[in-house]
Amino acid sequence: MSEDVPMSEDVPMQADSARSPGAQLRQAREAAGVHIAALAAALKVPAARLEAIEADRFDLLPDAAFTRALVASICRLLHVEAAPILAQLPRAGAGRLADDVRALSGNIPSASGRRFGLSQQFPRPLLWGVLLLLLAAAVLVLVPTSTMQGWADALQARLSAQSGESQAPPPAAPALAAVPPAEPAGLADAGTAALKPEAAAVLPDGPAQAAAVAAPVDTSVPLSLHARAQSWVKVTDARGVVVLQKTLAEGESQDVSGTLPLSVVVGRADATEVRVHGQPLDLTPLVRSNVARFEVK
């Protein structure tokens, strides 16, 4: 059974500098009638460490800073003047003595009443990640669907243009034969027929052929496209069939026929000329993010 350590506010006992620090502390403890086990319990340290101090075996303790803090706590509980005893102890690595004394005496203030900010409760990377997710959700809610569709079309056009740069441009001649050979009965009119074989056969080779390709398209063709620079296009007819989806090379022209109305998406509107039933179409009011979307009726 441990004895209670006296906590009266008596006048501190004067230390005897002629004796060793351990002997002085042992004498003060015995004079106060305190058992070493009770003193160890009050200080919350093993009794073996107090025995090492009273035997002047400071080499058995962790370090000089711990030894000085423990001795100061013993002096405080036994009402012994600590300065003369501490002057006889090693000073190397003393550290912050006041903090160690508070830790050994159990007087560390509780942290239960402290309030932590949001940045202290959560790691900074996690906090930024949550904020970015909330921002992305707000963008999805607030941005109109049409604007997001325009962004998606622009991105698809850019990706298609980049993938087409690594491929050789298709020859100009097949562009004239891109019109479907026939339409179901009752759906196609006479103006949607393909070019006559004899008309295509007489086209000359070389520059003359390129000039013929760039010539105005017949008014019976529902849609004509000409790329001043590489451009991506997609055309879907009234049945939902994709009649054209490709990247036009620079200088390439393309006639498109199909069941009207035709839904058209032009990837690079600034680099593509469009004719609807032979008449030029101004894409400026139809462009969003350099992607034009319209119908041919």
Side-chain angles (χ1 to χ4, degrees), residues 118-154:
L118 186 62
S119 61
Q120 293 175 312
Q121 296 180 16
F122 300 97
R124 188 173 298 274
L126 177 60
L127 182 60
W128 280 111
V130 172
L131 293 178
L132 290 177
L133 288 177
L134 293 176
L135 180 60
V139 170
L140 292 177
V141 172
L142 298 178
V143 175
T145 305
S146 58
T147 301
M148 296 184 63
Q149 182 64 37
W151 292 348
D153 292 338

Side-chain angles (χ1 to χ4, degrees), residues 204-261:
D205 295 332
Q209 182 180 4
V213 172
V217 185
D218 184 57
T219 56
S220 61
V221 178
L223 177 65
S224 298
L225 304 169
H226 176 70
R228 295 192 300 270
Q230 191 176 57
S231 176
W232 175 86
V233 295
K234 179 180 179 181
V235 182
T236 306
D237 67 5
R239 299 169 299 174
V241 178
V242 178
V243 296
L244 176 65
Q245 183 174 356
K246 65 179 296 186
T247 299
L248 299 177
E250 180 179 357
E252 182 179 356
S253 298
Q254 183 74 54
D255 294 340
V256 185
S257 296
T259 304
L260 301 181

Side-chain angles (χ1 to χ4, degrees), residues 42-259:
L43 294 172
K44 299 180 182 180
V45 297
R49 292 187 174 178
L50 299 183
E51 294 173 354
I53 290 178
E54 292 185 355
D56 296 315
R57 291 297 308 275
F58 304 116
D59 57 312
L60 300 179
L61 298 174
D63 53 37
F66 177 85
T67 302
R68 293 175 66 84
L70 182 56
V71 169
S73 297
I74 295 173
C75 292
R76 182 180 60 81
L77 292 179
L78 297 179
H79 303 289
V80 177
E81 188 176 357
I85 297 178
L86 293 175
Q88 296 177 275
L89 297 179
R91 291 184 176 275
R96 300 179 62 182
L97 181 59
D99 293 340
D100 294 336
V101 172
R102 286 196 299 269
L104 289 171
S105 60
N107 293 331
I108 299 178
S110 174
S112 59
R114 298 175 60 187
R115 296 181 179 272
F116 297 95
L118 186 62
S119 61
Q120 293 175 312
Q121 296 180 16
F122 300 97
R124 188 173 298 274
L126 177 60
L127 182 60
W128 280 111
V130 172
L131 293 178
L132 290 177
L133 288 177
L134 293 176
L135 180 60
V139 170
L140 292 177
V141 172
L142 298 178
V143 175
T145 305
S146 58
T147 301
M148 296 184 63
Q149 182 64 37
W151 292 348
D153 292 338
L155 179 60
Q156 184 177 8
R158 183 180 296 273
L159 293 177
S160 300
Q162 292 178 353
S163 62
E165 290 178 357
S166 59
Q167 302 176 358
L176 296 175
V179 181
E183 292 290 336
L187 296 178
D189 53 18
T192 60
L195 293 178
K196 295 182 179 180
E198 57 272 17
V202 298
L203 290 177
D205 295 332
Q209 182 180 4
V213 172
V217 185
D218 184 57
T219 56
S220 61
V221 178
L223 177 65
S224 298
L225 304 169
H226 176 70
R228 295 192 300 270
Q230 191 176 57
S231 176
W232 175 86
V233 295
K234 179 180 179 181
V235 182
T236 306
D237 67 5
R239 299 169 299 174
V241 178
V242 178
V243 296
L244 176 65
Q245 183 174 356
K246 65 179 296 186
T247 299
L248 299 177
E250 180 179 357
E252 182 179 356
S253 298
Q254 183 74 54
D255 294 340
V256 185
S257 296
T259 304

